[in-house]
Amino acid sequence: MSRTDRLFQLMQALRDLPPPATAQALARETGVSERTIYRDIDSLRGLGAVIDGEAGFGFTLIEDATLPPLGFVPEEIEALVVGLNEVMEVGDPALASAAHSALNKLKSRLPEAQAHRLKHAILTARRFEKPPAPGIDASVLRQAAWEERTVGFDYADAQGAQTSRQADPLSIVFMKTAHCLLAYCHLRKDFRAFRLDRMSDLAVTERSFRPRRIPMLREFKQRLREENQTSANPRA
């Protein structure tokens, strides 16, 4: 194995193993000695990788934009093409545009042979029926979820009945035919899924529910798994 391949392999091991990754675990993952691990950690740091930790404690990779991009194996390239094309097909306008931009960046930064494979990938994604357009700005909703801020909006159910809601946004999920907001609804005092195309007049409040988004989302997903939900449009 060349030194370059070994360094790439070590970077991937640092990404995959739970941090902090010990030299012993890294050596086992990459098939080299612990002494080589320490030497290669120093080499990666010299190339610009930000790696926290030390011998006897373990190492944690902190992503660094100055680090040259890594190459991809063929299957990873195919997966990227499928994933990004799927986002372009079903994502809201802002997300679809971001996926298109990301794909172009990959094409321009990959080595020539890999860029050619990316451009002419065997796998892709196409949908003949597009999901309904969101009734609100999904990018604003995503930001509210990241910031863990309660949102208010009007919502129409399947029969067209309108209600005003306040909810803690947890995640946006594409469910078969439509994008849905997974959230804790203050009106129903329970978890609910809201179709984005039935939402309107979105407003982000100053009310924070930090730091409960991740545990709440975990609880909601567990409930969905237990109920073995089959409907793409849960009640709201």
Side-chain angles (χ1 to χ4, degrees):
M1 181 187 300
S2 70
R3 177 175 177 272
T4 299
D5 289 340
R6 194 177 70 241
L7 293 178
F8 282 168
Q9 189 177 18
L10 177 56
M11 283 290 291
Q12 191 60 45
L14 284 166
R15 295 174 189 272
D16 292 343
L17 292 173
T22 64
Q24 183 180 21
L26 291 167
R28 184 171 56 250
E29 187 78 6
T30 57
V32 300
S33 68
E34 292 183 35
R35 181 177 180 181
T36 299
I37 292 296
Y38 293 132
R39 184 170 63 246
D40 287 349
I41 289 287
D42 289 338
S43 296
L44 288 173
R45 285 169 169 166
L47 290 171
V50 180
I51 301 174
D52 191 25
E54 58 185 310
F57 175 76
F59 301 94
T60 300
L61 173 65
I62 301 174
E63 297 293 347
D64 190 337
T66 65
L67 190 66
L70 299 180
F72 297 95
V73 300
E75 289 78 9
E76 290 173 336
I77 291 177
E78 296 285 349
L80 286 168
V81 171
V82 171
L84 289 171
N85 274 296
E86 177 72 0
V87 174
M88 284 188 274
E89 291 288 315
V90 305
D92 62 81
L95 206 57
S97 177
H100 184 267
S101 176
L103 193 58
N104 285 335
K105 286 180 179 179
L106 280 170
K107 290 176 183 176
S108 65
R109 297 182 183 182
L110 284 174
E112 183 177 352
Q114 292 191 332
H116 177 80
R117 184 179 286 272
L118 186 75
K119 182 178 180 180
H120 302 287
I122 301 299
L123 301 177
T124 188
R126 290 289 184 270
R127 288 183 179 265
F128 296 102
E129 294 185 12
K130 301 290 186 180
I136 47 86
D137 188 336
S139 62
V140 173
L141 186 58
R142 284 195 296 272
Q143 189 62 33
W146 274 116
E147 295 177 355
E148 298 179 64
R149 293 170 63 184
T150 299
V151 297
F153 54 90
D154 290 336
Y155 191 73
D157 65 16
Q159 288 71 44
Q162 293 271 352
T163 54
S164 293
R165 306 292 184 104
Q166 283 207 339
D168 299 334
L170 308 177
S171 180
I172 298 175
V173 180
F174 184 71
M175 303 174 73
K176 292 188 178 180
T177 61
H179 291 91
C180 294
L181 168 68
L182 304 185
Y184 180 85
C185 177
H186 293 197
L187 178 65
R188 304 303 186 203
K189 299 188 185 306
D190 200 358
F191 295 115
R192 289 289 187 271
F194 300 95
R195 284 180 48 149
L196 267 59
D197 58 307
R198 295 178 181 171
M199 297 171 62
S200 60
D201 296 328
L202 176 69
V204 181
T205 75
E206 295 300 321
R207 180 174 178 176
S208 173
F209 61 99
R210 189 184 301 274
R212 295 182 289 120
R213 186 181 77 86
I214 293 176
M216 290 170 70
L217 179 59
R218 187 181 299 119
E219 181 182 349
F220 194 179
K221 286 182 175 179
Q222 179 62 31
R223 181 183 299 185
L224 291 175
R225 283 192 293 268
E226 292 173 352
E227 294 175 353
N228 193 23
Q229 184 170 328
T230 58
S231 171
N233 305 306
R235 63 193 178 91

